[in-house]
Amino acid sequence: MNAENIRMKIRTGEHSGPTSGISGDKVQANLAILPKEYAFDFLLFALRNSKPVPIIEVLEAGEFTSRYAQNSDIRTDVPLYNIYKKGKLTNTVSDIKDEWRDDFVTFLIGCSFTFEQAILDAGINIKHIDEGRNVAMYKTNIETVPAGIFSGETVVSMRPFKKELIDKVINITNDFPNMHGGPVHVGNPQEIGIENIDSPDYGDSIAIAEDEVPVFWACGVTPQNAVLKARPEILISHAPGHMFITDINNEEYKN
Amino acid sequence: MNAENIRMKIRTGEHSGPTSGISGDKVQANLAILPKEYAFDFLLFALRNSKPVPIIEVLEAGEFTSRYAQNSDIRTDVPLYNIYKKGKLTNTVSDIKDEWRDDFVTFLIGCSFTFEQAILDAGINIKHIDEGRNVAMYKTNIETVPAGIFSGETVVSMRPFKKELIDKVINITNDFPNMHGGPVHVGNPQEIGIENIDSPDYGDSIAIAEDEVPVFWACGVTPQNAVLKARPEILISHAPGHMFITDINNEEYKN
């Protein structure tokens, strides 16, 4: 099934769940929609923190069709949206046509699904996927570079791998510099300010076996965290795991 | 002499002329200052047209010290500034302290001096430099990707080289993808809409010998052209050839 067909099924409500694994080799994107008055600060925040905030596309104010997704409609083609007002989640909805405004600027941001697919393609298992769980995510003591009203700590996702696979996993993800790239940390969680690895700030906890090492990547939750901290009038994002599917192949982001 | 000392001489008026050749291996930057209301559109224009508009740095609204130039002051450390109001040049001044506003956003944009230095370092002469003239620049029929209020044709700079040097020159400049990169066109000027190669739109005309081929690079005049076309309330830029000198080494932009 091609990406446009999947978007159509999402639009009509035929598919309403998470998007993990449903788009084959197509890039899935994090979504952030903000009024134009915040758009410069957010774009600058993204440029200054390109590892956690890899920009795929920025739409003009009021635009809702992605250049990288034929016949798409940003207002309907994500299975589930979170609406935040002044930093608080106020509503979770399946389309945002009623909320849409001409001054809304849409940002599509890269997601770890792209490099995860490359890891899987190399024949390496990823534990949380095998267990059907969400990836574990943590706030760290790694500060982002502030821009305008936006600032805050880097959020990371963690995947445990056996020691002998670490170098290979690092190399694979280094090949996607514009999709979070290589890990920001390998090993002891406390070195990046994570006190309790069994208690992630977002997503699901995952056990780390004796012969495994935790590997940490910059995560697309970072910008959402920074935006909510700034308490803008409104932010609309995808609900976790419910991404926007583009027509771009993952390989196009491979260096 | 280090870059900070040169900036100090410019600030005090001891150096007031063009900056070509005075900063050794330090990156020189094009300057564009706009009120914040235009900043998102301009930054998006830069991202969508990174070949003619390679962003080195964006300062916060009201900020006038570059992170990449110790103790710098954007308001005084350029030898000559052009002030444009509603798209018309109204004033050329040696500092902009009186014009400065808290909502001014400064963009530092890459300049061809960086790749020119690499060409010279490879032992290849550049004709307009040998003749002590400004590079020839032309409007083309290569459209930029519009963003918000900004649009327009790509402006290119032209340097003639002997046929046997073309491949080498292309390779050298390809190595600076974030400083205009490789040429956008080699050969027949009419193919990119230049009717009269002897009559550049900006800079000085340069003769092309029988055994030479004109080579065209995307040029930093492109964004200035796009901004003036949009007639914003105010734009402040460097006067041609009078650049902002950073502490960054040219090699740091080499791939």
Side-chain angles (χ1 to χ4, degrees):
Chain A
M1 190 158 59
N2 74 27
E4 188 175 348
N5 286 341
I6 301 172
R7 286 192 297 273
M8 216 49 78
K9 280 187 193 296
I10 290 170
R11 189 180 302 179
T12 58
E14 198 177 326
H15 180 96
S16 59
T19 52
S20 173
I22 71 163
S23 69
D25 201 30
K26 300 301 177 191
V27 166
Q28 298 199 18
N30 293 298
L31 178 74
I33 299 172
L34 284 164
K36 189 169 178 179
E37 64 172 299
Y38 307 107
F40 171 67
D41 283 359
F42 187 76
L43 185 51
L44 191 54
F45 183 77
L47 291 181
R48 289 182 176 171
N49 299 282
S50 60
K51 208 152 184 176
V53 200
I55 291 286
I56 294 175
E57 187 184 13
V58 184
L59 276 63
E60 303 275 327
E63 254 192 322
F64 46 77
T65 297
S66 162
R67 281 159 195 72
Y68 303 120
Q70 207 176 8
N71 298 317
S72 60
D73 187 331
I74 290 290
R75 305 169 304 172
T76 55
D77 295 357
V78 165
L80 210 56
Y81 302 81
N82 277 341
I83 301 175
Y84 300 88
K85 292 186 176 165
K86 304 210 164 159
K88 299 272 175 225
L89 178 65
T90 58
N91 218 351
T92 297
V93 295
S94 60
D95 84 63
I96 53 166
K97 278 194 156 171
D98 290 346
E99 298 280 344
W100 190 255
R101 292 172 14 189
D102 283 348
D103 69 335
F104 275 178
V105 175
T106 297
F107 298 85
L108 296 180
I109 300 162
C111 137
S112 56
F113 287 177
T114 297
F115 73 65
E116 285 184 345
Q117 190 58 50
I119 294 172
L120 296 173
D121 289 347
I124 299 173
N125 285 2
I126 300 176
K127 217 165 169 180
H128 73 268
I129 296 178
D130 288 347
E131 299 183 5
R133 318 185 77 182
N134 201 344
V135 71
M137 292 165 277
Y138 306 84
K139 293 181 182 179
T140 67
N141 60 12
I142 306 168
E143 284 297 315
T144 58
V145 183
I149 62 169
F150 301 121
S151 64
E153 64 270 45
T154 302
V155 176
V156 295
S157 59
M158 186 277 286
R159 294 162 191 80
F161 292 98
K162 289 200 195 311
K163 280 190 187 68
E164 62 269 26
L165 291 173
I166 301 292
D167 283 350
K168 195 166 175 188
V169 166
I170 291 173
N171 287 338
I172 291 168
T173 58
N174 273 338
D175 271 351
F176 292 88
N178 297 320
M179 282 288 178
H180 299 312
V184 294
H185 184 65
V186 177
N188 187 352
Q190 295 191 348
E191 284 173 19
I192 54 171
I194 300 169
E195 292 307 323
N196 186 354
I197 197 74
D198 298 324
S199 176
D201 294 298
Y202 311 91
D204 300 325
S205 167
I206 194 116
I208 303 171
E210 278 290 311
D211 59 347
E212 288 175 338
V213 177
V215 185
F216 300 90
W217 281 268
C219 172
V221 173
T222 306
Q224 186 176 322
N225 192 46
V227 170
L228 294 180
K229 194 168 159 255
R231 301 174 181 274
E233 175 208 345
I234 187 165
L235 161 72
I236 301 178
S237 77
H238 64 288
H242 297 68
M243 319 298 278
F244 179 74
I245 295 167
T246 73
D247 295 337
I248 310 170
N249 288 320
N250 285 322
E251 297 80 56
E252 288 181 41
Y253 276 90
K254 190 169 175 183
N255 238 11
Chain B
M1 190 159 59
N2 73 26
E4 188 174 349
N5 287 342
I6 300 172
R7 286 192 297 272
M8 216 50 78
K9 281 187 192 296
I10 291 170
R11 189 180 302 181
T12 58
E14 196 176 327
H15 179 95
S16 60
T19 51
S20 174
I22 70 164
S23 69
D25 201 32
K26 299 302 177 193
V27 166
Q28 299 199 17
N30 293 299
L31 178 74
I33 300 172
L34 284 164
K36 189 169 179 180
E37 65 172 299
Y38 307 106
F40 171 66
D41 284 359
F42 187 76
L43 185 51
L44 191 54
F45 183 76
L47 290 181
R48 289 184 177 169
N49 299 281
S50 61
K51 208 152 184 176
V53 200
I55 292 286
I56 294 175
E57 187 183 14
V58 184
L59 276 64
E60 303 275 328
E63 253 191 325
F64 46 77
T65 298
S66 163
R67 280 160 195 73
Y68 303 119
Q70 206 176 8
N71 299 318
S72 60
D73 187 331
I74 290 290
R75 305 168 305 172
T76 55
D77 295 357
V78 165
L80 209 56
Y81 302 81
N82 278 341
I83 302 175
Y84 300 88
K85 291 186 176 163
K86 302 211 164 158
K88 300 270 176 228
L89 179 67
T90 57
N91 218 353
T92 297
V93 295
S94 61
D95 83 63
I96 52 166
K97 278 194 156 169
D98 290 346
E99 298 279 345
W100 190 255
R101 293 173 10 191
D102 283 348
D103 70 335
F104 275 178
V105 174
T106 297
F107 298 85
L108 296 180
I109 300 163
C111 139
S112 56
F113 288 178
T114 296
F115 72 65
E116 284 183 345
Q117 190 58 50
I119 294 172
L120 296 172
D121 288 347
I124 299 173
N125 285 2
I126 300 176
K127 216 164 170 181
H128 74 267
I129 296 177
D130 288 346
E131 300 183 4
R133 317 185 77 184
N134 200 345
V135 71
M137 291 165 277
Y138 306 85
K139 293 181 181 177
T140 67
N141 60 12
I142 306 168
E143 284 297 318
T144 59
V145 183
I149 62 168
F150 301 121
S151 64
E153 63 269 45
T154 302
V155 177
V156 294
S157 60
M158 188 276 286
R159 294 161 191 81
F161 292 98
K162 288 199 198 310
K163 280 191 188 68
E164 62 269 24
L165 292 173
I166 301 292
D167 282 352
K168 196 167 175 187
V169 166
I170 291 174
N171 287 338
I172 291 169
T173 57
N174 273 338
D175 271 350
F176 292 88
N178 297 322
M179 282 288 179
H180 299 311
V184 293
H185 184 64
V186 177
N188 186 353
Q190 296 192 348
E191 283 173 17
I192 54 170
I194 300 170
E195 292 307 322
N196 187 355
I197 196 75
D198 298 324
S199 176
D201 294 299
Y202 311 91
D204 300 325
S205 167
I206 193 116
I208 303 171
E210 279 290 311
D211 60 346
E212 288 175 339
V213 177
V215 186
F216 300 90
W217 281 267
C219 171
V221 172
T222 306
Q224 186 176 321
N225 192 45
V227 170
L228 294 180
K229 195 168 158 254
R231 302 174 178 276
E233 175 208 344
I234 188 164
L235 161 72
I236 301 178
S237 77
H238 64 288
H242 297 67
M243 319 298 278
F244 179 74
I245 295 166
T246 73
D247 295 337
I248 311 170
N249 288 319
N250 284 323
E251 297 81 56
E252 288 181 42
Y253 276 91
K254 190 169 176 186
N255 238 11

